[in-house]
Every structure is written in C-alpha cells, then in structure tokens.
Amino acid sequence: MSAKDEMRAMLAQLMGTEVDNTPKVKFTDRSVCRPFLLGCCPHEVLDSTRMDIGKCRQIHDYAAKADYEKANAEKDLDFETDAMYELRAFIRDIDRRIDLSKKDLIETQEELSTDVEIKANMVHDIGEHIGKKLAEAERQGADGNVEESLKLMEEVEKLKEEKKKAEMDYRNCMPASTYQQQKLRVCEICSAYLGIHDNDRRLADHFGGKLHLGFIKLREKLTALEKIAEVNAEKRRVDREERRSSRNSPDRDRGRRDRNRERRRSRSRSREKERKRNGRDRDGDSRRSSSYRSSRRDDSPDRSRSKSKSTKEPFLTKLANRTSGRDGSLSTANSGFSVSLVYIEAVEASLDAARTEGMWSH
C-alpha cells in the first residue's frame, strides 16, 4: 500500500463515508466483516506473522467501520453476537491445534518421571515469566514510562536468579545425555513451541511478538464479547417476559374486550345499513313494477281492440267473399245478408268498447 493509500485509509477511518461522494458499502451489509468492525478479525490481527491465514473473504472497509462506531454510539446495534460466533470458531480451532501438538510431544519425547516433570515445568514457568516481564518493560519504555520499565527490569533480575536455581535442580536429577536434549513445550496462547533451554531474549521476543500478543488480544476480545452477548441475551429475555406479561394483563384483556365489542357494533351497524339499502332497492323495484303494470293496463284496450279486430277480420273477410261475386261486388240475392253483416259488425264494435271500459262482464 502506497503512502497515498494509507493516508486515504486513515482519513476514511476518521471521517467515514462522508469523505467523498463516491458510493461505499454500508456497514449493515452482510458482506462486511463484523469482527473487523469490532477490531478483532483474525485475518487482520495475525497479518504478517507465522500464522498468517491470508486475506479475509469479507469486506474490510475503514469508512464503514467509522460509520459503525458512530451509529453504535447512538444505538446498540448488537453486532457483538455475530462477531463472537466467528471469533469463537477460530479460537476453538487453535485450541484443537494446541491439543494435537501436546499429543505429538507426548508421543515423540522421552517420558520423564513425575519429579523430573515437575522441575522441568518449573523452569518453563519461570522462563515464561521472564519473557513476559521483559516484553512489558520494553513496551513501557517505548511509551515513556521509564520508572515502570525499571521496576519490571528489577523483577526480571530476581526471576533470573530463581531460574538458575530451578535449572540446577533439573540438571542434577537428569542424566547428562538426557539433559542435553531439548525439552519442548506448547504455548497455551498461540500454540508455538517453547524450549526449556531457550534464552531470555528468545522468550522475550516470543511473548512480546506480534503473534503471541495478537492471540492475547483475540482471546481477551472473545471473553469481552461473550459477556456482552450474555447481557444482551438477558435483556432480550426480560423484554420477552414483559411482553408476555403485558399480553396476559387485565388491562390488555379489557382492551381486547372493548375492541371486540366495538367490532361487533360496527358489524351490526353495517348489517343494518345493508338491510336498509336492500329495503330501499325492493321499494324502488315494487314501484317500478307497479308503474309498469299500470302502463300495461293503460295500453291493454288498444291491444284488445286490435286483437279483436285482427281475430274477427279473417272471419268477416271469408264471409264477405262467400256472399260476394267473383268481381268483388255484392249480389242482389245476398243484399239482405250484407245488411245483416254490417249490423253484426256495429254490434261487435260496441261490445268491444263496453268491455274495455269495464262496463261489460262475462
């Protein structure tokens, strides 16, 4: 990464996505690494170490990290649970590796007696204390805490004297040929191999190195995340209990009854409106049907008259044809019958008129 890229990353980490108007990934996106947002991604912490596990498959964006820190300060986003699960899986894998390394040492190294094993472990423990003290003294000196650094160096000198005595005891109980063999031990933090004959400088480099300190950071972060996740889980449980109790409370039941009563009332009002609307529709239909029947009655005399005429015309026409001659004129012999025919037509016309006016009944 060039100096320009480093400056851009530092600016993005400080300002977030507000640095420029270019579209950036949001921290809420699932493709963004949650452990990275919390500063505990193993891919970043163990970068350029003996256990470098390569580039993370998820997105590491410093601007998104800055946005997350601002948003989380205003409201708890509960990203700790997801980061805890991912980090726990990684730490468990390292612990399994440590157990396998211990089994390999038991199978390959010569088995020692119980007394010798205790003295060897004492040498190892003192050496680890010396390395940790030296690493801490160097860190305090780099930070400008000279007095703290000097106190730690005094403790280191005392531990060195104790280590010499422990080494003499271990050497006296071991044969010369066996003593020269390197007695290895697995670091419980980072799974590195430590030797009983390692000097103080080598132990200080190990305990103050990036690999060991990185694993310390990851393990401490996992412990803190587990506590936060436990607190959040307890909050969620309390919230569920409160919602359940409020759901079963008398006030809630009373409110439910009131809502049900109001719902029934609204349904009854809607049904009443529907009945009224249907009644109005039926009244309108009856009025329309009565008006239609009255109009039919008004038109019935003309229709009956036309019907009577239409039914009687064929008969009269046939009778006239029989009484008339071939040329269509009435003959002398049938003139009296023709007069009678005209009289019959007049009588039938008067009867039709009386029937239509209601003055005639069968």
Side-chain angles (χ1 to χ4, degrees):
M1 181 182 292
S2 62
K4 185 177 180 180
D5 294 336
E6 291 180 357
M7 292 296 294
R8 185 180 292 107
M10 292 174 62
L11 185 61
Q13 188 173 3
L14 291 174
M15 301 297 295
T17 54
E18 300 176 358
V19 178
D20 50 16
N21 295 325
T22 57
K24 299 289 184 181
V25 64
K26 295 183 179 180
F27 69 88
T28 54
D29 195 341
R30 295 300 302 178
S31 60
V32 178
C33 181
R34 296 291 174 87
F36 167 76
L37 297 177
L38 295 169
C40 59
C41 180
H43 298 269
E44 185 181 38
V45 174
L46 302 179
D47 186 29
S48 302
T49 62
R50 182 177 59 85
M51 293 187 64
D52 189 349
I53 55 179
K55 187 178 180 180
C56 183
R57 292 177 295 179
Q58 294 178 310
I59 297 175
H60 286 195
D61 189 82
Y62 288 98
K65 183 178 181 180
D67 291 343
Y68 162 74
E69 292 174 352
K70 292 179 182 179
N72 192 57
E74 298 175 358
K75 179 183 178 181
D76 187 10
L77 301 175
D78 195 17
F79 280 18
E80 290 82 4
T81 303
D82 295 336
M84 179 196 68
Y85 288 137
E86 296 183 20
L87 187 58
R88 179 186 290 172
F90 176 76
I91 294 299
R92 285 179 177 177
D93 184 61
I94 296 300
D95 292 339
R96 286 192 294 269
R97 184 179 301 180
I98 291 172
D99 294 337
L100 291 175
S101 299
K102 289 180 178 180
K103 292 179 180 179
D104 293 340
L105 289 179
I106 293 174
E107 294 175 357
T108 56
Q109 292 188 140
E110 183 179 355
E111 186 177 1
L112 302 176
S113 61
T114 304
D115 187 35
V116 176
E117 186 71 24
I118 292 174
K119 293 180 179 181
N121 291 334
M122 185 178 296
V123 175
H124 275 295
D125 294 339
I126 296 174
E128 289 182 5
H129 280 89
I130 291 173
K132 292 178 181 179
K133 294 291 184 180
L134 283 175
E136 182 66 22
E138 292 177 358
R139 188 161 50 252
Q140 292 291 339
D143 294 339
N145 299 326
V146 181
E147 295 182 358
E148 294 293 333
S149 178
L150 292 176
K151 290 181 179 179
L152 291 172
M153 291 303 299
E154 292 177 358
E155 295 178 2
V156 168
E157 293 298 328
K158 294 179 180 179
L159 290 173
K160 286 182 179 180
E161 295 295 331
E162 295 180 3
K163 185 180 178 182
K164 289 181 180 179
K165 295 179 180 179
E167 287 178 346
M168 290 295 297
D169 294 338
Y170 174 69
R171 184 182 302 174
N172 293 332
C173 66
M174 290 284 295
S177 60
T178 307
Y179 178 77
Q180 296 298 327
Q181 295 178 0
Q182 181 68 284
K183 179 67 175 176
L184 297 177
R185 187 177 181 180
V186 181
C187 180
E188 299 288 345
I189 302 297
C190 62
S191 73
Y193 289 103
L194 301 175
I196 195 172
H197 299 299
D198 291 340
N199 56 31
D200 300 336
R201 184 69 266 168
R202 196 268 176 189
L203 294 174
D205 292 340
H206 169 75
F207 291 108
K210 185 177 181 180
L211 177 65
H212 188 84
L213 295 178
F215 271 102
I216 291 177
K217 178 181 179 180
L218 293 177
R219 292 180 181 276
E220 291 178 351
K221 190 68 175 180
L222 177 60
T223 303
L225 291 177
E226 288 175 346
K227 293 180 180 179
I228 295 174
E230 184 178 356
V231 172
N232 293 336
E234 182 65 21
K235 289 181 179 179
R236 289 193 294 269
R237 188 189 65 80
V238 172
D239 293 339
R240 286 195 300 270
E241 292 293 335
E242 291 179 354
R243 288 195 297 269
R244 189 180 296 111
S245 60
S246 63
R247 193 181 301 119
N248 298 328
S249 62
D251 296 336
R252 186 180 180 89
D253 294 339
R254 189 181 303 109
R256 188 187 297 110
R257 289 194 298 270
D258 295 340
R259 287 193 298 270
N260 293 335
R261 189 183 302 110
E262 184 64 27
R263 195 178 297 113
R264 289 193 298 271
R265 289 176 180 175
S266 63
R267 284 199 296 264
S268 63
R269 286 194 294 267
S270 62
R271 286 195 295 268
E272 184 66 24
K273 291 180 180 178
E274 187 67 21
R275 284 195 295 270
K276 290 180 179 179
R277 190 182 300 111
N278 294 334
R280 287 195 298 269
D281 294 341
R282 286 194 296 271
D283 294 340
D285 294 340
S286 63
R287 285 194 297 270
R288 285 193 294 270
S289 62
S290 62
S291 63
Y292 176 75
R293 287 194 298 270
S294 63
S295 63
R296 294 276 294 180
R297 283 195 301 270
D298 295 339
D299 297 339
S300 61
D302 298 334
R303 285 197 302 271
S304 63
R305 186 180 300 112
S306 62
K307 182 177 180 181
S308 62
K309 288 182 180 181
S310 63
T311 54
K312 291 177 175 55
E313 281 179 358
F315 173 76
L316 296 175
T317 303
K318 292 178 182 180
L319 185 60
N321 291 334
R322 291 177 181 176
T323 58
S324 62
R326 290 183 177 180
D327 56 354
S329 62
L330 293 173
S331 61
T332 304
N334 297 327
S335 60
F337 182 78
S338 299
V339 174
S340 300
L341 181 62
V342 172
Y343 177 76
I344 291 170
E345 288 179 353
V347 172
E348 288 179 349
S350 63
L351 290 174
D352 290 337
R355 188 183 295 111
T356 55
E357 292 177 0
M359 298 173 62
W360 182 264
S361 60
H362 294 284

